[in-house]
């Protein structure tokens, strides 16, 4: 019987992020057909992120390096106080920032593109 290898915390975290990314890509490919016109943004080009509260519509645009400032310390909207995240479980904004940083570190070995469908006539 094969034993599973013991992973460091960083390796386990990286594996979790890759599983999340693969799941997102699988869902995207099943739900959406690739449109004729797309915009591709490489992970190294991703610099600005927009976070919008669906309750009050307040939008915050931040540099990826400051993404954790988009919400309050307890996962609430900075404008209306709506609970946006259960940060006790995990903070996906932090995970996104760390995932993109890891992809930037691997840029010499691979390129990852975020493919954004464009509406016709746009």
């Amino acid at each position: 019987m094969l034993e599973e290898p013991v992973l460091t915390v960083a390796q386990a975290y990286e594996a979790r992020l890759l599983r999340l990314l693969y799941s997102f890509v699988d869902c995207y490919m099943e739900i959406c057909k690739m449109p004729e016109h797309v915009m591709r943004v490489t992970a190294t080009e991703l610099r600005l992120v927009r976070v919008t509260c669906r309750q009050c519509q307040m939008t915050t645009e931040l540099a990826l390096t400051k993404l954790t400032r988009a919400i309050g310390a307890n996962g609430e909207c900075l404008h209306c106080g709506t609970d946006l995240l259960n940060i006790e479980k995990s903070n996906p904004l932090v995970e996104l920032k760390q995932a993109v940083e890891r992809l930037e570190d691997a840029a010499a070995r691979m390129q990852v593109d975020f493919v954004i469908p464009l509406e016709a006539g746009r």
Side-chain angles (χ1 to χ4, degrees):
M1 181 182 289
L2 293 175
E3 291 183 28
E4 290 197 26
V6 177
L7 301 176
T8 66
V9 173
Q11 290 170 325
Y13 189 70
E14 182 178 10
R16 180 172 179 239
L17 288 174
L18 285 173
R19 281 194 306 274
L20 285 171
L21 181 61
Y22 291 146
S23 235
F24 172 78
V25 169
D26 288 344
C27 288
Y28 177 81
M29 295 306 286
E30 284 180 27
I31 295 170
C32 302
K33 293 188 178 191
M34 188 63 77
E36 191 173 316
H37 301 285
V38 296
M39 177 174 63
R40 289 178 179 82
V41 179
T42 65
T44 56
E45 294 172 323
L46 187 61
R47 295 287 172 239
L48 189 65
V49 177
R50 175 184 290 183
V51 177
T52 302
C53 173
R54 296 201 183 244
Q55 181 69 34
C56 69
Q57 301 304 309
M58 183 64 149
T59 299
T60 305
E61 286 187 0
L62 293 165
L64 185 66
T65 57
K66 298 179 181 179
L67 186 56
T68 55
R69 297 181 190 173
I71 59 170
N74 296 315
E76 74 278 5
C77 172
L78 295 173
H79 185 255
C80 71
T82 297
D83 185 25
L84 301 175
L85 298 172
N86 178 359
I87 61 170
E88 292 176 8
K89 185 176 180 183
S90 69
N91 185 334
L93 296 176
V94 171
E95 291 177 8
L96 174 63
K97 176 182 175 287
Q98 292 171 341
V100 172
E101 287 171 348
R102 293 187 78 99
L103 291 172
E104 287 176 345
D105 290 342
R109 298 180 304 279
M110 69 174 178
Q111 177 176 325
V112 175
D113 294 333
F114 296 93
V115 179
I116 303 166
L118 298 177
E119 295 173 17
R122 201 169 174 200

